[in-house]
Amino acid sequence: MTLLTTDLCDANEDKVRVVEPMFSSFGGRDSFHGRVATLKLFEDNTLVRKTLESPGDGRVLVIDGGGSLRRALVGDQLAALAVKNGWAGIIVYGCIRDSRAIGEMDLGVFALDTHPMKTRKLNTGEAELPITFGGVTFAPGEWLYADEDGVIVSTTALH
């Protein structure tokens, strides 16, 4: 079922928080939604792999990569892992790579941009904590809806 962010905003204006426009869509799925799982890290995607190896159960992984445009936090291998394990999508406040391959996968992927450089493997970062970027705080367990018109977040599921 496709849920349009514009319709959800119209019907639930007092319940949604709208992320500032900043993302481009790179995944094969242009519209996606699910419960939020969060990561906070910087130029190290070790925790991204560990998280995407777990069952996604239709969730959306929201990664606060500090807005870095120097290294890619998600590539085709991690995106394939997300598809295999049932993640609905990934939002990256940072860069991805392998955009052509990711664009052919049944996965929503929004990011600031692309970058060919992979990350360092320092095993740093934090999981499942509130993170803030784009004028919105994302808390684990909240609901995220994304499509060509934007990204919105709500504490409850919307219809």
Side-chain angles (χ1 to χ4, degrees), residues 17-27 30 32 60-69 73 90-96 108-114 131-136 138 144-153:
R17 301 182 314 274
V18 181
V19 180
E20 295 169 1
M22 66 177 72
F23 294 109
S24 295
S25 176
F26 295 98
D30 292 330
F32 57 99
V60 176
L61 180 58
V62 181
I63 304 169
D64 179 355
S68 173
L69 301 177
L73 294 173
I90 305 170
I91 303 282
V92 183
Y93 185 51
C95 291
I96 66 152
V109 178
F110 281 19
L112 296 178
D113 214 332
T114 60
I131 57 175
T132 302
F133 58 83
V136 168
F138 303 81
L144 182 145
Y145 302 83
D147 64 17
E148 59 276 356
D149 288 318
V151 177
I152 62 174
V153 183

Side-chain angles (χ1 to χ4, degrees), residues 5-28:
T5 58
T6 52
D7 293 343
L8 292 172
C9 283
D10 290 352
N12 303 279
E13 188 172 344
D14 59 333
K15 296 179 184 175
V16 299
R17 301 182 314 274
V18 181
V19 180
E20 295 169 1
M22 66 177 72
F23 294 109
S24 295
S25 176
F26 295 98

Side-chain angles (χ1 to χ4, degrees), residues 46-59:
T46 309
L47 201 51
V48 177
R49 175 174 291 282
K50 181 179 177 185
T51 303
L52 294 175
E53 286 173 343
S54 68
D57 300 320
R59 290 180 293 162

Side-chain angles (χ1 to χ4, degrees), residues 79-103:
L81 199 55
V83 171
K84 174 186 172 196
N85 289 320
W87 291 84
I90 305 170
I91 303 282
V92 183
Y93 185 51
C95 291
I96 66 152
R97 66 190 217 158
D98 304 313
S99 60
R100 183 175 299 147
I102 289 173

